[in-house]
Amino acid sequence: MHAQEGAEFRPKIHGRRTGRKLRPGQQQLMDVLLPRLAVAAEKPVDLKALFPERPEAIWLEVGFGGGEHLADQATAHPTTGLIGCEVFRNGIASLLGHIEKRHLGNVRICTEDARMLLDALPAASLSRVFLLFLDPWPKKRHSGRRFINTESLNRLAMLMKPGAELRIASDDPVHIAWALAHASNHPAFSWTARTAADWCVRPQDWPATRYEQKAVAAGRQPMFFRFLRR
Ligand SMILES: C[S@@+](CC[C@H](N)C(=O)[O-])C[C@H]1O[C@@H](n2cnc3c(N)ncnc32)[C@H](O)[C@@H]1O
């Protein structure tokens, strides 16, 4: 179901929305800065209005966590517009802190479930999409909760321009096999890897996320996948 159809589609969120109480400075950012950067997913998103400065490209990060990767990409690519989508309040507050500290003018934030945002974005509008360490839901009975599935990949295929890049990372073997099978079997995406180094080593232009650092500290091996929209 798409926002364009005017329906009130609110998928069930399985992860946490809230954590520890925000500090007063973070609450202030949520009250004052967030409304200026917010992307409403209930209706079709007008990218020209969202980014009046007309960025060269629009990139999307789903589930940005604390926003370290998104803020680093926005800093490294000032002429790109980045949309981050995250439902966890403390993560949103963390990204707002990075935006304020670094004076980033090219980031917008959607605080709704990413599936709603995918329905609201215009076709062929995205040049890069990041799905980094999304909740793996490794138990078979929870597999329906995984964000990566045929439906979301179909939708991303519509939203991504030809040649656009889809980056996926995970440290969970069950989720890695699942994501790889879904993306590499999808007719709209081709996997760029040629050698094992292509998925075992994080590329230089791909900053580490907080979750990746935790995974490595715990002895887990993250994997990094790049697909191109055909
Ligand atoms: C395991 S954390 C990883 C965070 C970050 N990408 C990192 O690597 O540090 C997954 C994040 O995805 C967010 N998330 C999961 N499903 C989501 C959805 N459907 N829409 C938006 N955010 C989602 C969660 O709230 C959580 O913060």
Side-chain angles (χ1 to χ4, degrees), residues 19-158:
R20 101 176 88 76
K21 192 173 183 312
L22 298 181
R23 295 190 299 274
Q26 290 181 310
Q27 187 59 55
Q28 164 94 351
L29 290 173
M30 294 291 271
D31 294 340
V32 178
L33 183 56
L34 180 59
R36 301 213 305 261
L37 305 181
V39 183
E42 296 82 9
K43 52 184 193 302
V45 175
D46 177 354
L47 289 173
K48 287 190 184 125
L50 192 64
F51 291 105
E53 61 285 2
R54 304 281 163 94
E56 286 165 11
I58 309 275
W59 294 359
L60 168 69
E61 180 167 348
V62 170
F64 58 71
E68 300 80 13
H69 170 272
L70 185 63
D72 283 353
Q73 292 286 14
T75 306
H77 301 277
T79 56
T80 295
L82 285 103
I83 302 176
C85 185
E86 177 56 68
V87 293
F88 185 50
R89 268 173 68 80
N90 302 64
I92 298 162
S94 166
L95 175 60
L96 289 169
H98 292 298
I99 292 171
E100 190 196 38
K101 207 189 271 170
R102 302 189 201 182
H103 307 289
L104 295 173
N106 56 338
V107 179
R108 302 291 181 273
I109 301 176
C110 174
T111 63
E112 295 290 350
D113 189 298
R115 289 166 291 181
M116 285 180 68
L117 179 63
L118 296 194
D119 277 352
L121 286 169
S125 57
L126 302 176
S127 297
R128 199 172 281 189
V129 175
F130 304 98
L131 308 177
L132 308 181
F133 301 94
L134 293 182
D135 304 282
W137 300 111
K139 291 185 182 150
K140 198 172 174 191
R141 68 173 189 278
H142 291 150
S143 61
R145 299 180 181 184
R146 294 174 196 150
F147 179 80
I148 295 175
N149 57 28
T150 305
E151 197 185 347
S152 61
L153 290 174
N154 285 345
R155 189 67 198 154
L156 285 173
M158 276 178 64

Side-chain angles (χ1 to χ4, degrees), residues 187-207:
F189 295 102
S190 64
W191 190 18
T192 60
R194 295 288 171 265
T195 70
D198 292 332
W199 66 83
C200 294
V201 181
R202 179 164 42 73
Q204 277 197 336
D205 67 343
W206 184 330

